[in-house]
Amino acid sequence: MRTPVFALSAFFIFTGAAYGVSAPISEATEECIACHVSVSPGIVAGWKKSRHARVIPMEALKKPRLERRVSADTVPGELAQTAVGCAECHTMNPAKHKDTFEHQGYEVHIVVTPEDCATCHTTEANQYAQNIMSHAYGNLKNNPVYHNLADSVNGVQSFEDMKTTLRPPDPETEAESCYYCHGTVVDVKGKSTRETVMGEMDFPVLSGWPNQGVGRINPDGSKGSCTACHTRHQFSIEMARKPHTCSECHKGPDVPAYKVYEVSKHGNVYSSLGKEWDFQPVPWVVGRDFTAPTCATCHASLTVNEEGEVVAERTHRMNDRLPWRIMGLIYAHPHPKSPDTTVIKNKSGLPLPTELTGEPVAEYLIDPKEQEKRRNAMHKVCLSCHGYEWVEGHWKRFENTLRTTNEMTLTATKMMLTAWEKGVARGLAQNDSIFNEAFEKKWAEQWLFFANSTRFASAMAGADYGVFANGRWYLSKNIQEMADWLEFKLKGIQQENKQ
Amino acid sequence: MRTPVFALSAFFIFTGAAYGVSAPISEATEECIACHVSVSPGIVAGWKKSRHARVIPMEALKKPRLERRVSADTVPGELAQTAVGCAECHTMNPAKHKDTFEHQGYEVHIVVTPEDCATCHTTEANQYAQNIMSHAYGNLKNNPVYHNLADSVNGVQSFEDMKTTLRPPDPETEAESCYYCHGTVVDVKGKSTRETVMGEMDFPVLSGWPNQGVGRINPDGSKGSCTACHTRHQFSIEMARKPHTCSECHKGPDVPAYKVYEVSKHGNVYSSLGKEWDFQPVPWVVGRDFTAPTCATCHASLTVNEEGEVVAERTHRMNDRLPWRIMGLIYAHPHPKSPDTTVIKNKSGLPLPTELTGEPVAEYLIDPKEQEKRRNAMHKVCLSCHGYEWVEGHWKRFENTLRTTNEMTLTATKMMLTAWEKGVARGLAQNDSIFNEAFEKKWAEQWLFFANSTRFASAMAGADYGVFANGRWYLSKNIQEMADWLEFKLKGIQQENKQ
Amino acid sequence: MRTPVFALSAFFIFTGAAYGVSAPISEATEECIACHVSVSPGIVAGWKKSRHARVIPMEALKKPRLERRVSADTVPGELAQTAVGCAECHTMNPAKHKDTFEHQGYEVHIVVTPEDCATCHTTEANQYAQNIMSHAYGNLKNNPVYHNLADSVNGVQSFEDMKTTLRPPDPETEAESCYYCHGTVVDVKGKSTRETVMGEMDFPVLSGWPNQGVGRINPDGSKGSCTACHTRHQFSIEMARKPHTCSECHKGPDVPAYKVYEVSKHGNVYSSLGKEWDFQPVPWVVGRDFTAPTCATCHASLTVNEEGEVVAERTHRMNDRLPWRIMGLIYAHPHPKSPDTTVIKNKSGLPLPTELTGEPVAEYLIDPKEQEKRRNAMHKVCLSCHGYEWVEGHWKRFENTLRTTNEMTLTATKMMLTAWEKGVARGLAQNDSIFNEAFEKKWAEQWLFFANSTRFASAMAGADYGVFANGRWYLSKNIQEMADWLEFKLKGIQQENKQ
């Protein structure tokens, strides 16, 4: 264990050289590192590899607009002069943070939040607050239909007297399943005292911890977690631009974006040749820095051509280039207007953007004009590498697939409605969950897995995934199996009635 | 937008230096680039990274036989003197191309075809024409059994009056599912006029576009798409040699070659150490350039040992080292003789290489002598890194697995035949599709997914995939589920008859 | 074919320079290479890239303790002086090897075993012998319950007279399915004479060959295969430390460690940034050499912080940091004490570490104290990069998930027991396999696939895999489908009884 150096130093700002860091670091950060280099060596070493350890904000602010990684107009005096180190973030806005605690003479908080990051990355934090992902916690927790779906998946079932019963999931299960990605509520539940290598210390006890979900409710009241994509203390733009980051939450059959990307030509080029690409530059030059898009290229990044002309502006409102929402809900539909989707009500009073029979609930959804704007923003990205006819042809297929997969979902839904009506399954009319029976789960798979997988395969040209892997084969087979089951069940009722 | 440079130049051939290209480029290509560097920057930048932009054919022709990347004896005069740029390919054979149109004073066509590429890569184009993949469009479209399978997967089903009906798939759906890989028919449907940054222009309207399927029917009448593997304007041999390229079409449960490779020792070595390998050299030196095979190594590439002795000659007839066809059809069988498999008829008159009960239709299939020849060609590749006993032991297991998986398929087929015979499913005798009912789809999964997955796992030693992932577990479980269903259905009929 | 060089040499030890190898090589190895550079070029080239070809044991022995890659105190005289080449390993302990044969004047054996490797890597071989993996062959083959499971998966089923029958699997099938990973028995079955490029030669005929399974029974009586992870002739520590190696056996739904890793933050960091990491150093420095763990980091490697303090000692007894066994068996339970699990008997006399209803058979399992020790060893690894609260919170969720997934398994087991009791399925009481019927296979999937997938997702924070990919969605759905089937079957019996 090293002796903390601060006691020996007469200067407020240290050179970082002692730690292999090129930027000057603050006295407070110096103190953090002195112990944590031994207590949590991976964190310190990760940070040392970050741009935060190499460039001070004052320098970052001087870059021309397109090269700026810091969007704030100014950064408060002292912060601008040193590396962005431990103390800079973990002591930011202490009064707002319920998780602030006294630690070695500093007011430290555990959870760094978008509001903390906004000090330098203002535009990104503001955009992200309008991104539907920032509302991922509430959009699940406060939507009774979806909350019920989650319970039916995560609850514990028992079997007694030939019947199954469901116990709702405990908080630990919820935190490591749905809310792992959607975000937990991180709140302070008390204090605990613990023996450490530095003697006895107090620490806050947090609920929902650990978590780095995109819609995390933070102890300062803000929403989201920048570290979901800009991972932990290295904050690597390379990592945020690589598809593996998105895959953490967007790989399962409910949202198989990464799996589709992997089998697409784009994904193939990335896997085969990406090792030669440059994932660092801002702005990101199409064709020079990379020769096929990653998730970030199409959905978020600032890209330019070699002449320096902007292809797409950076956005952290990830739906800016998305006219349609193709997953998670029963039918594909225009994107919702508000990132808070709990405001939506359909004619049946359900918090869904379409009726059960597919008609969009237009007032809560973006209009054709906004769709056109977003479609054009995306097309501009495509046109960097593809001819006009190519892009139009691709898009025509995609929108056709939205219609056919919606039709295939409607077919399954009609069977579901028949089962409820005929009493061989119990639904809303019986005040029962619509996700707890085997037949209802088959219906849910039709849209939650197969229809949306087919749409992703179409959207991103990963055809192989959309046919046999998890797409049309299952979409078509599922309907026949549902028909089989329905026929059997209704015959069974007839038999019973006869006897 | 740059001013086209050609007006300023007195020379026919430009130095490519202005664009960072080391080979001289033609005036025509110079003109293309002048606009397209801004209009489609990704394409130009991709091409600049290609060997086509670095080496002129005249130089390529001078290499010793084993190092040649150009198989033509000669390349016509002017073409031999410049980089292979935009104009060289997109104005090749204009009279043959239905998609030729007037563009800025040139006769340009959109779709570059194997026949265009054959100008320099003659042997490869000729071999590819005999590759079963080049017939992938017709082999699906013109085989009534398989066309029917495709319809049952891609069609839209409805549910009315307790019955399902199937509407055949529309062309957009077909183009983005089966024919995405198999290839579409790209034909000229008319002209459209469009406002561009260069003013109003005319362009041909193409059917089936975009597409880069291996059996694409091109506007010049040729078959296939070199860009399926030699991707777009970078034409990287590195990419063609990497397994991700094959995975675009060979990853789903119907042909899980890539998934099996991934969990094999070969795939592991590639994933772990491949970053240090050299994927560029021709010929490709076993052990020096790479220490485990990729798909290309075993199936296509010219490989030599460090002494320069040939291990395997290059082939673009991908079945040259394959004695057996292990996927796609109901039973594993010797490879068909002709790449056009629509010529095949079994005793029942079906266009299948085996009877429904598994017996091969020998006259259309390669004979044991040809099988032996292909087996030896593959063994020679194996023996580069494995002892004789190792290779023999591996192969013995593989051929045993062909027999056992055929047996497991026959078992399922007998159940299927029983269902048709007893009238609990409707098949050929009832003039009905053999793929549209739930039970038929279970039968199809037995061979289309599980038997062939088991075979791939055996062939490429990716054991993990062949047991629980998608192999023998499902092969054995599916039979028990089919037995359950059959018993239930037949009992149901008995019940009805009793009453 | 080169002339063997040894005849020309007056020295016992050759410089390896002629083969591009920096260490001196023995005369015997020189002879091997002289032919095999042409006969099996990939093997020779692979070896030339190995550390065995660069460093002689005498030098390796001089390293400070933490940097040692050789754990033997001494290495016998001649061996210590040359590169570890072909002859050094393939002529080691000839008398013990049943596969020893005369080859070009040497007593050569084919299969290099842990006992051979123990000459230099003594500690690792000893630890590995206590690793449950080294007993993988016997633990499957000699456990009647598991052997029966394997037969039901790998056997060939027939369908005659409306009934299915099962033929036990043949040895070829067994060797390429379960025993591919678990290990085969490699034994000498005779000799064969074969024409080679060097004239006629004799070779031993081996059963179970090829194989590199972790529990292989070797011709010298030893157990295991170092090459399972330290692949073949390159013996790369980089490869052993990369997750792809583990994925060869730990990827399927029965043990989806790799799939979970891939979608975890750890896996994402590895995929995104791992190309810059250093996988060679011993000891392995947390944060400097890598910024996220691979499988090896947590389970096997010697790791230190930048101050040189040990985070975790190296172990080849892979369960040293594992308090719980979470897969393969019906319920999660404390790890077994002995690597030979065939000694275990539960109250029903079954060779299982829990009762069918989940209670652990404590006497054969590690006690809470040993669990605590292993938990602490693992926590120390976590704490390199995570705070104490983070680690505790994570672990609390994990142990909660062991309980809930055990509950969900018990629910399915109660249904299974009901089916056996009511006679709608045939189990132990009927002296029938408990894995051969469709309903039994559904029950097996509950624990073998879904419960353990959920546990892995929890253990390694790959949440996405544990919800919809192959976890809780299926865990909950499977119970409802089992309930449906049970209800139908029992109603069917009632119907029959009524008539």
Side-chain angles (χ1 to χ4, degrees):
Chain A
M1 181 72 50
R2 314 174 39 149
T3 315
V5 200
F6 69 96
L8 308 173
S9 166
F11 303 106
F12 177 70
I13 295 173
F14 289 68
T15 79
Y19 297 111
V21 168
S22 56
I25 58 177
S26 68
E27 184 177 356
T29 289
E30 173 77 27
E31 282 192 65
C32 302
I33 294 176
C35 295
H36 279 277
V37 73
S38 176
V39 172
S40 37
I43 295 178
V44 175
W47 173 77
K48 279 162 56 182
K49 291 179 174 168
S50 76
R51 180 171 290 263
H52 279 173
R54 291 198 310 272
V55 182
I56 62 171
M58 195 172 58
E59 293 302 317
L61 286 164
K62 291 179 188 159
K63 296 269 185 185
R65 185 185 79 87
L66 287 181
E67 293 175 30
R68 288 272 297 264
R69 291 163 197 261
V70 165
S71 56
D73 290 334
T74 58
V75 172
E78 289 175 8
L79 277 176
Q81 310 294 325
T82 62
V84 182
C86 324
E88 284 62 38
C89 302
H90 283 279
T91 65
M92 179 75 68
N93 306 321
K96 288 187 183 166
H97 270 270
K98 286 205 248 171
D99 56 330
T100 293
F101 67 111
E102 194 284 329
H103 184 64
Q104 303 290 82
Y106 289 93
E107 296 292 290
V108 169
H109 59 75
I110 296 171
V111 186
V112 178
T113 72
E115 200 166 327
D116 297 333
C117 301
T119 310
C120 297
H121 304 286
T122 321
T123 304
E124 290 67 35
N126 288 343
Q127 285 173 337
Y128 188 75
Q130 294 171 285
N131 183 356
I132 196 168
M133 291 159 77
S134 68
H135 286 254
Y137 171 79
N139 285 350
L140 174 52
K141 190 72 177 182
N142 303 321
N143 180 320
V145 173
Y146 275 76
H147 190 62
N148 181 270
L149 169 59
D151 281 359
S152 79
V153 175
N154 293 328
V156 174
Q157 298 183 53
S158 307
F159 181 70
E160 301 291 345
D161 300 330
M162 301 301 297
K163 279 199 312 207
T164 63
T165 52
L166 178 80
R167 188 177 81 225
D170 54 68
E172 279 74 30
T173 298
E174 288 184 314
E176 71 163 37
S177 54
C178 303
Y179 297 101
Y180 182 92
C181 289
H182 280 251
T184 58
V185 178
V186 180
D187 205 356
V188 179
K189 291 299 178 193
K191 293 254 172 204
S192 81
T193 305
R194 180 158 52 80
E195 194 56 41
T196 75
V197 287
M198 304 293 290
E200 205 168 71
M201 287 186 181
D202 284 336
F203 299 92
V205 175
L206 301 178
S207 68
W209 191 247
N211 185 263
Q212 44 198 349
V214 295
R216 188 178 67 196
I217 306 298
N218 297 306
D220 66 350
S222 67
K223 288 187 180 67
S225 161
C226 302
T227 198
C229 306
H230 300 274
T231 297
R232 302 194 84 220
H233 301 90
Q234 205 165 340
F235 318 98
S236 158
I237 195 170
E238 172 158 10
M239 193 168 163
R241 283 174 168 177
K242 285 192 169 171
H244 317 287
T245 292
C246 309
S247 86
E248 282 189 50
C249 298
H250 293 189
K251 189 171 183 185
D254 53 316
V255 43
Y258 179 78
K259 290 204 157 184
V260 165
Y261 178 75
E262 268 188 312
V263 297
S264 74
K265 182 62 87 189
H266 292 159
N268 173 11
V269 182
Y270 167 73
S271 298
S272 298
L273 304 179
K275 68 182 198 319
E276 308 292 348
W277 298 353
D278 194 347
F279 286 86
Q280 305 287 350
V282 171
W284 213 11
V285 181
V286 173
R288 186 195 73 187
D289 295 333
F290 59 92
T291 53
T294 64
C295 315
T297 317
C298 295
H299 296 290
S301 295
L302 166 64
T303 47
V304 300
N305 66 21
E306 287 193 278
E307 322 276 273
E309 295 162 334
V310 171
V311 172
E313 290 285 353
R314 181 188 301 115
T315 180
H316 279 68
R317 197 168 45 211
M318 299 292 174
N319 30 286
D320 268 3
R321 306 177 197 160
L322 293 177
W324 300 101
R325 187 154 57 148
I326 65 174
M327 58 92 176
L329 280 296
I330 306 178
Y331 300 91
H333 56 278
H335 241 277
K337 286 179 188 165
S338 164
D340 175 3
T341 59
T342 61
V343 300
I344 299 174
K345 290 279 169 291
N346 72 8
K347 284 186 200 156
S348 328
L350 294 173
L352 298 174
T354 67
E355 306 304 327
L356 268 185
T357 41
E359 302 78 6
V361 188
E363 62 186 294
Y364 299 103
L365 309 178
I366 60 172
D367 60 23
K369 207 167 170 179
E370 174 66 16
Q371 284 193 295
E372 186 64 18
K373 189 178 141 200
R374 295 185 181 190
R375 186 185 291 114
N376 288 342
M378 183 63 95
H379 277 206
K380 215 174 153 206
V381 178
C382 307
L383 290 165
S384 305
C385 300
H386 296 287
Y388 181 87
E389 284 75 16
W390 181 291
V391 176
E392 286 295 308
H394 173 77
W395 200 264
K396 188 179 167 196
R397 288 177 192 163
F398 171 55
E399 296 198 332
N400 181 63
T401 290
L402 298 189
R403 286 188 294 273
T404 57
T405 52
N406 276 354
E407 278 192 79
M408 288 292 269
T409 298
L410 178 60
T411 300
T413 304
K414 283 182 179 175
M415 290 172 166
M416 191 68 255
L417 293 168
T418 302
W420 285 331
E421 190 190 311
K422 305 268 187 187
V424 292
R426 292 166 48 86
L428 294 172
Q430 291 82 24
N431 208 18
D432 191 46
S433 163
I434 61 174
F435 298 113
N436 59 350
E437 301 171 46
F439 191 67
E440 290 165 339
K441 289 174 192 288
K442 274 191 94 61
W443 165 67
E445 287 182 344
Q446 185 78 355
W447 45 272
L448 189 60
F449 291 180
F450 311 139
N452 78 344
S453 290
T454 306
R455 289 177 203 130
F456 274 103
S458 175
M460 295 160 60
D464 197 65
Y465 196 80
V467 184
F468 291 120
N470 215 31
R472 290 186 171 93
W473 175 262
Y474 295 99
L475 208 50
S476 60
K477 181 187 167 206
N478 201 39
I479 284 181
Q480 289 302 312
E481 289 181 346
M482 289 179 76
D484 251 26
W485 186 94
L486 207 51
E487 185 195 337
F488 146 66
K489 274 290 189 180
L490 295 174
K491 272 195 183 160
I493 285 187
Q494 285 172 0
Q495 295 274 9
E496 284 173 24
N497 292 347
K498 274 181 194 165
Q499 287 166 0
Chain B
M1 182 72 48
R2 315 173 39 149
T3 313
V5 200
F6 68 95
L8 308 173
S9 166
F11 303 105
F12 177 68
I13 295 172
F14 289 69
T15 80
Y19 296 112
V21 169
S22 56
I25 57 176
S26 68
E27 184 178 357
T29 289
E30 173 75 28
E31 281 192 64
C32 302
I33 295 176
C35 294
H36 278 277
V37 74
S38 177
V39 172
S40 36
I43 295 178
V44 174
W47 173 77
K48 279 163 55 182
K49 290 178 175 169
S50 76
R51 180 172 289 263
H52 278 173
R54 291 198 309 271
V55 181
I56 62 171
M58 195 171 58
E59 293 302 317
L61 286 164
K62 290 180 189 161
K63 296 268 185 186
R65 184 184 81 87
L66 288 180
E67 293 176 30
R68 288 271 298 263
R69 291 162 197 261
V70 165
S71 55
D73 290 332
T74 58
V75 172
E78 290 176 7
L79 278 175
Q81 311 294 326
T82 62
V84 183
C86 323
E88 282 62 39
C89 302
H90 283 279
T91 65
M92 178 74 69
N93 306 322
K96 289 187 183 166
H97 270 271
K98 287 205 247 171
D99 55 329
T100 294
F101 67 111
E102 193 284 328
H103 183 63
Q104 302 291 83
Y106 289 94
E107 296 292 289
V108 168
H109 59 75
I110 295 170
V111 186
V112 178
T113 72
E115 202 167 326
D116 297 333
C117 301
T119 310
C120 297
H121 305 286
T122 321
T123 304
E124 291 68 34
N126 288 343
Q127 286 174 337
Y128 189 75
Q130 294 171 284
N131 183 355
I132 196 168
M133 291 159 75
S134 68
H135 285 255
Y137 171 79
N139 286 350
L140 174 52
K141 189 73 177 181
N142 304 321
N143 180 319
V145 172
Y146 276 75
H147 190 61
N148 181 271
L149 169 59
D151 281 359
S152 79
V153 175
N154 292 328
V156 173
Q157 298 183 52
S158 306
F159 181 71
E160 301 291 346
D161 301 330
M162 301 303 295
K163 280 200 310 207
T164 62
T165 51
L166 179 79
R167 188 177 80 224
D170 54 67
E172 278 75 29
T173 297
E174 289 184 314
E176 72 162 37
S177 56
C178 303
Y179 296 101
Y180 182 91
C181 289
H182 279 251
T184 57
V185 178
V186 180
D187 204 356
V188 179
K189 291 299 176 192
K191 293 254 172 204
S192 81
T193 304
R194 179 157 54 77
E195 194 55 41
T196 76
V197 286
M198 304 294 290
E200 204 168 71
M201 286 186 182
D202 285 335
F203 299 93
V205 176
L206 301 177
S207 68
W209 192 248
N211 185 264
Q212 43 198 348
V214 295
R216 189 178 67 196
I217 307 297
N218 297 307
D220 65 351
S222 67
K223 288 188 180 66
S225 161
C226 302
T227 198
C229 306
H230 300 275
T231 297
R232 301 194 86 220
H233 301 91
Q234 205 165 342
F235 317 97
S236 158
I237 195 169
E238 173 158 10
M239 193 169 164
R241 283 174 168 177
K242 285 193 168 169
H244 316 288
T245 292
C246 309
S247 86
E248 282 188 51
C249 298
H250 294 187
K251 188 172 183 184
D254 54 316
V255 43
Y258 179 78
K259 290 204 157 183
V260 166
Y261 178 75
E262 268 189 313
V263 296
S264 73
K265 183 61 86 187
H266 293 158
N268 173 11
V269 182
Y270 167 73
S271 297
S272 297
L273 304 179
K275 69 182 198 320
E276 307 293 347
W277 299 352
D278 194 346
F279 286 85
Q280 304 288 349
V282 171
W284 212 10
V285 182
V286 173
R288 186 195 74 188
D289 295 334
F290 59 91
T291 54
T294 63
C295 315
T297 316
C298 296
H299 296 291
S301 294
L302 166 64
T303 48
V304 300
N305 66 21
E306 286 193 278
E307 321 277 271
E309 295 162 334
V310 171
V311 171
E313 291 284 355
R314 181 188 301 116
T315 180
H316 280 68
R317 196 168 45 211
M318 298 293 174
N319 30 288
D320 268 3
R321 305 177 198 161
L322 293 177
W324 299 101
R325 186 153 58 147
I326 65 175
M327 59 91 176
L329 280 297
I330 306 178
Y331 299 91
H333 57 278
H335 241 277
K337 285 179 189 165
S338 164
D340 175 4
T341 59
T342 61
V343 300
I344 300 174
K345 290 279 169 289
N346 71 8
K347 284 188 198 153
S348 328
L350 294 172
L352 297 174
T354 69
E355 306 303 327
L356 268 186
T357 42
E359 302 78 5
V361 187
E363 62 186 295
Y364 298 105
L365 308 178
I366 60 171
D367 60 23
K369 207 165 168 179
E370 173 67 15
Q371 284 193 296
E372 187 64 18
K373 189 178 141 199
R374 296 185 181 190
R375 187 186 290 115
N376 288 342
M378 182 64 94
H379 277 205
K380 214 171 154 208
V381 178
C382 306
L383 289 166
S384 307
C385 300
H386 296 287
Y388 181 87
E389 285 74 17
W390 182 291
V391 176
E392 286 295 307
H394 172 74
W395 199 263
K396 187 178 168 198
R397 288 177 193 162
F398 171 54
E399 296 198 332
N400 181 63
T401 290
L402 299 190
R403 285 187 295 274
T404 57
T405 52
N406 276 355
E407 277 191 79
M408 288 292 271
T409 298
L410 177 60
T411 301
T413 304
K414 283 182 179 174
M415 290 173 165
M416 190 69 256
L417 292 168
T418 303
W420 285 330
E421 189 190 311
K422 304 268 188 187
V424 291
R426 294 165 46 86
L428 295 173
Q430 292 81 26
N431 209 17
D432 192 46
S433 164
I434 63 174
F435 298 114
N436 59 350
E437 300 170 47
F439 191 66
E440 290 164 339
K441 289 174 192 289
K442 274 192 94 62
W443 165 67
E445 286 182 345
Q446 185 78 354
W447 46 271
L448 189 60
F449 291 179
F450 311 139
N452 79 344
S453 291
T454 306
R455 290 178 203 128
F456 274 104
S458 175
M460 295 160 60
D464 198 65
Y465 196 80
V467 184
F468 292 120
N470 215 31
R472 289 186 170 93
W473 175 262
Y474 295 100
L475 209 50
S476 61
K477 182 186 166 205
N478 200 39
I479 284 180
Q480 288 302 312
E481 289 181 346
M482 288 179 77
D484 250 25
W485 186 93
L486 207 51
E487 185 195 337
F488 146 66
K489 274 290 191 180
L490 294 174
K491 271 196 182 158
I493 285 187
Q494 286 172 2
Q495 294 274 9
E496 283 173 25
N497 292 347
K498 275 182 191 164
Q499 287 164 358
Chain C
M1 181 72 51
R2 313 174 39 149
T3 313
V5 199
F6 67 96
L8 309 173
S9 168
F11 303 107
F12 177 69
I13 294 173
F14 290 68
T15 79
Y19 297 112
V21 168
S22 56
I25 58 177
S26 68
E27 183 178 357
T29 289
E30 173 76 27
E31 282 191 64
C32 303
I33 295 176
C35 295
H36 278 278
V37 72
S38 176
V39 173
S40 38
I43 294 177
V44 175
W47 173 76
K48 279 162 57 181
K49 291 178 175 169
S50 76
R51 180 171 291 264
H52 278 173
R54 291 198 309 271
V55 181
I56 62 172
M58 195 172 58
E59 293 303 317
L61 286 164
K62 290 180 190 161
K63 297 270 185 184
R65 184 184 81 86
L66 286 181
E67 293 176 29
R68 287 271 297 263
R69 292 162 196 261
V70 165
S71 55
D73 290 333
T74 58
V75 172
E78 290 175 7
L79 277 176
Q81 311 293 326
T82 62
V84 182
C86 324
E88 283 62 37
C89 303
H90 283 279
T91 65
M92 179 73 70
N93 307 322
K96 289 187 184 164
H97 270 270
K98 286 206 247 170
D99 56 330
T100 294
F101 67 111
E102 193 285 328
H103 184 63
Q104 303 291 81
Y106 289 94
E107 295 292 288
V108 168
H109 59 75
I110 296 171
V111 186
V112 178
T113 72
E115 202 166 326
D116 297 333
C117 301
T119 310
C120 297
H121 305 286
T122 321
T123 304
E124 291 68 34
N126 288 342
Q127 287 174 335
Y128 189 76
Q130 294 171 285
N131 183 356
I132 197 167
M133 291 159 75
S134 68
H135 286 254
Y137 171 78
N139 285 350
L140 174 51
K141 189 73 177 182
N142 303 320
N143 181 319
V145 172
Y146 276 76
H147 189 62
N148 181 270
L149 169 58
D151 281 359
S152 79
V153 175
N154 292 328
V156 173
Q157 299 182 52
S158 307
F159 181 70
E160 301 291 345
D161 301 330
M162 300 303 297
K163 280 201 311 209
T164 62
T165 52
L166 178 79
R167 188 177 81 225
D170 54 67
E172 279 75 29
T173 298
E174 289 184 313
E176 70 162 39
S177 55
C178 303
Y179 296 102
Y180 182 92
C181 289
H182 280 251
T184 58
V185 178
V186 180
D187 205 356
V188 179
K189 291 300 176 194
K191 293 254 171 204
S192 81
T193 305
R194 179 158 53 78
E195 194 55 41
T196 75
V197 286
M198 304 293 290
E200 205 168 70
M201 287 187 181
D202 284 336
F203 299 93
V205 176
L206 300 177
S207 68
W209 192 247
N211 186 263
Q212 45 199 347
V214 295
R216 189 178 66 196
I217 307 298
N218 296 307
D220 66 351
S222 67
K223 289 188 179 69
S225 160
C226 302
T227 198
C229 306
H230 300 275
T231 296
R232 301 195 85 221
H233 301 91
Q234 204 166 343
F235 317 98
S236 158
I237 195 170
E238 173 158 8
M239 193 167 164
R241 283 174 168 177
K242 285 192 168 170
H244 317 288
T245 292
C246 309
S247 86
E248 281 188 51
C249 299
H250 294 188
K251 188 172 184 184
D254 53 316
V255 43
Y258 179 78
K259 290 204 157 182
V260 165
Y261 179 75
E262 268 189 311
V263 297
S264 73
K265 183 62 86 188
H266 292 158
N268 173 11
V269 182
Y270 167 73
S271 298
S272 297
L273 305 178
K275 68 182 199 318
E276 308 291 347
W277 298 353
D278 194 347
F279 286 86
Q280 305 288 348
V282 172
W284 211 12
V285 182
V286 173
R288 186 196 73 188
D289 294 334
F290 59 91
T291 54
T294 63
C295 315
T297 317
C298 295
H299 297 291
S301 293
L302 166 64
T303 48
V304 301
N305 66 21
E306 286 192 278
E307 322 276 273
E309 296 161 334
V310 171
V311 172
E313 291 285 353
R314 181 189 300 116
T315 181
H316 279 68
R317 196 168 45 212
M318 299 291 175
N319 30 287
D320 268 4
R321 306 177 196 160
L322 293 177
W324 300 101
R325 187 155 57 147
I326 65 173
M327 59 92 177
L329 280 297
I330 305 178
Y331 299 92
H333 57 277
H335 241 277
K337 285 179 188 165
S338 164
D340 175 3
T341 59
T342 61
V343 300
I344 299 174
K345 290 280 169 289
N346 71 9
K347 284 186 200 154
S348 329
L350 294 172
L352 297 174
T354 69
E355 305 304 328
L356 269 185
T357 42
E359 302 78 6
V361 188
E363 61 186 296
Y364 298 104
L365 308 178
I366 61 172
D367 61 22
K369 207 167 171 179
E370 173 67 16
Q371 285 193 294
E372 187 64 18
K373 190 179 140 199
R374 296 185 181 191
R375 187 185 289 114
N376 288 341
M378 183 63 94
H379 277 206
K380 214 172 154 207
V381 179
C382 306
L383 290 164
S384 305
C385 300
H386 297 286
Y388 181 88
E389 285 74 17
W390 182 290
V391 176
E392 286 296 308
H394 172 76
W395 200 263
K396 188 179 167 197
R397 287 176 192 164
F398 171 55
E399 296 199 332
N400 181 64
T401 291
L402 299 189
R403 285 187 296 273
T404 57
T405 52
N406 276 355
E407 278 192 78
M408 288 292 271
T409 298
L410 178 59
T411 301
T413 304
K414 283 182 178 175
M415 290 172 165
M416 190 69 255
L417 293 168
T418 303
W420 286 331
E421 190 190 311
K422 305 267 188 189
V424 292
R426 293 165 47 86
L428 294 172
Q430 292 81 28
N431 209 19
D432 192 47
S433 164
I434 62 174
F435 298 114
N436 59 350
E437 300 170 46
F439 191 66
E440 291 165 339
K441 289 174 192 288
K442 275 191 93 63
W443 165 67
E445 286 182 345
Q446 185 78 354
W447 46 272
L448 190 60
F449 291 179
F450 311 140
N452 78 344
S453 291
T454 307
R455 290 178 203 129
F456 274 104
S458 175
M460 295 160 60
D464 197 66
Y465 196 79
V467 184
F468 292 121
N470 216 31
R472 291 186 171 93
W473 175 262
Y474 295 99
L475 208 51
S476 60
K477 181 187 167 204
N478 201 38
I479 284 180
Q480 289 302 312
E481 290 181 345
M482 289 179 77
D484 250 27
W485 185 93
L486 207 51
E487 186 195 338
F488 145 66
K489 274 290 189 180
L490 295 174
K491 271 195 183 160
I493 286 187
Q494 286 172 0
Q495 296 273 10
E496 284 173 24
N497 292 346
K498 275 183 192 164
Q499 287 165 358

